[in-house]
């Protein structure tokens, strides 16, 4: 198959069969909604909608071997993605790096995506469908990286983006949104406050809400991480996947991908243990999991420098907690101090300069190894969901305020001084 170039949209139509998106299905009541028009959540019960494909017809026709030679982006899985010409910046098919420190551990480095985080995948799919439906104005609350990704893909699609972010997001997120030409509102509050503002204004302003899990296609983009984990490990799923969880879209998406792959006949019924890692300063899923609950409560006074994990109540909490339980997984909290140490550790040992959210995966792995949940023989994939380059201000602030290090003399470009 010829390589699909950025902007070469006609090529995707020529080469890829795209008749598989059948309907949208509510994850609470099972009601079906048509996929030929934009939909948010189930009108009956607010349930999250899943895109459903005619996988029975695809079984045997779409084989894992067919992927060979396809472009190294998430759109290589076109048959199980919505049928529209992709708005793509080259997202997905990120490296699966074998850890230098731990045998059988892999780091899935999502920091190499366009806009420096895995949010690119979800926004590529959501903006693709928004353009397909003819939508002109999109809006979303964001902890930072989703906003940056929305702004980039909206720019690439010629669509307006309206983004609401906490005023203390990393500078990189504010700047990228500005440069991509998005309309940004900085809010004195958390992502939940931003979400409320989008909900209040969207009808009057004519915005389509692409909030986390309030439209069906960000999950579709993020689920490609599940396809990639399987493909990059030779169609054998690992024993565990550790995923830094804010809204939980990637965890939910990967679980959906595994079910789809089983229906396609690509894998069997085996599943990895799915592990949520959250910041100790905002750990609603960890708390609910420990209490054996099926939904979470709003986490009071949420605070962490891992901005993407500062989600005090996930809309998809019922799906996340169900997946943790069904997969025999667990939920782990990491303090900001532990996370900062892990960023430095991964950088110096693995050569991976991870976002704080991503480095939290290492903290969780170490805790789960120490507690015997995983052994050295278990194959475990740790998700680094973003690049540290987007967090330089937060990391510097964290280093100064929480745990100052003694100044070290370093020779930086001829200037000798404390750093
Ligand atoms: C780098 C990073 N990791 C993890 C998350 C959490 O992602 P999710 O909402 O899919 O759980 C975010 C969300 O903003 C993020 O930016
Ligand atoms: Zn429903």
């Amino acid at each position: 198959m010829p390589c699909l170039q950025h902007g070469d949209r006609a090529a995707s139509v020529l080469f890829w069969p795209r008749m598989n998106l059948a309907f949208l299905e509510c994850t609470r009541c099972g009601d079906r909604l048509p996929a030929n028009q934009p939909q948010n959540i189930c009108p009956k019960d607010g349930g999250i909608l899943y895109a459903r494909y005619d996988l029975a017809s695809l079984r045997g026709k779409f084989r894992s071997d067919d992927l060979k030679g396809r472009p190294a982006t998430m759109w290589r899985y076109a048959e199980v993605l919505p049928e529209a010409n992709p708005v793509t910046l080259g997202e997905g098919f990120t490296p699966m790096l074998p850890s230098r420190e731990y045998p059988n551990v892999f780091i899935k480095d999502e920091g190499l995506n366009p806009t420096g985080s895995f949010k690119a995948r979800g926004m590529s799919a959501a903006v693709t469908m928004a353009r397909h439906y003819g939508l002109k104005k999109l809006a979303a609350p964001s902890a930072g990286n989703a906003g940056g990704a929305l702004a980039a893909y909206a720019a690439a699609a010629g669509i307006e983006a309206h983004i609401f972010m906490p005023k203390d997001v990393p500078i990189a997120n504010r700047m990228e949104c500005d440069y991509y030409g998005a309309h940004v509102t900085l809010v004195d509050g958390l992502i939940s406050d931003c979400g409320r503002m989008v909900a209040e204004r969207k009808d009057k302003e004519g915005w389509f809400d692409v909030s986390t899990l309030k439209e069906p296609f960000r999950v579709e983009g993020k689920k490609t991480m599940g396809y990639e984990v399987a493909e990059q490990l030779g169609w054998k799923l690992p024993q565990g996947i550790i995923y830094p969880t804010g809204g939980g879209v990637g965890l939910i998406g990967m679980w959906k991908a595994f079910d789809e792959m089983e229906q396609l006949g690509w894998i069997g019924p085996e599943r990895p243990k799915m592990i949520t890692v959250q910041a100790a300063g905002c750990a609603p899923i960890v708390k609910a999991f420990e209490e054996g609950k099926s939904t979470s409560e709003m986490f009071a006074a949420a605070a962490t420098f891992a901005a993407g994990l500062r989600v005090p109540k996930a809309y998809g909490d019922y799906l996340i907690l169900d997946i943790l339980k069904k997969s025999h997984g667990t939920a782990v909290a990491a303090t900001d101090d532990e996370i900062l140490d892990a960023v430095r550790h991964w950088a110096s040992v693995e050569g991976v300069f991870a976002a704080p959210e991503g480095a939290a995966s290492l903290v969780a792995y170490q805790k789960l190894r120490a507690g015997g949940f995983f052994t050295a023989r278990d194959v475990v994939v740790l998700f680094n969901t973003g690049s540290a380059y987007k967090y330089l201000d937060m990391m510097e602030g964290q280093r100064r305020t929480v745990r100052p290090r003694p100044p070290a003399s370093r020779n930086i470009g001829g200037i000798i001084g404390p750093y």
Side-chain angles (χ1 to χ4, degrees), residues 44 64 120 134 219 223 251 286 348 410:
K44 211 157 87 186
S64 52
V219 170
K223 84 177 179 190
L251 187 102
V286 178
S348 60
R410 290 284 165 96

Side-chain angles (χ1 to χ4, degrees), residues 24 30 39 54 79 84 87 90 130 159 165 185 209 228 234-235 258 282 290 297 299 336 352 396:
L24 305 173
Q39 307 276 5
D54 185 0
E79 285 87 340
V87 179
I159 290 175
M165 301 193 289
T185 306
D209 187 355
E228 286 176 30
W235 304 109
F258 300 145
C282 182
E290 283 172 356
E297 280 157 28
F299 199 88
D336 278 9
V352 173
E396 190 63 4

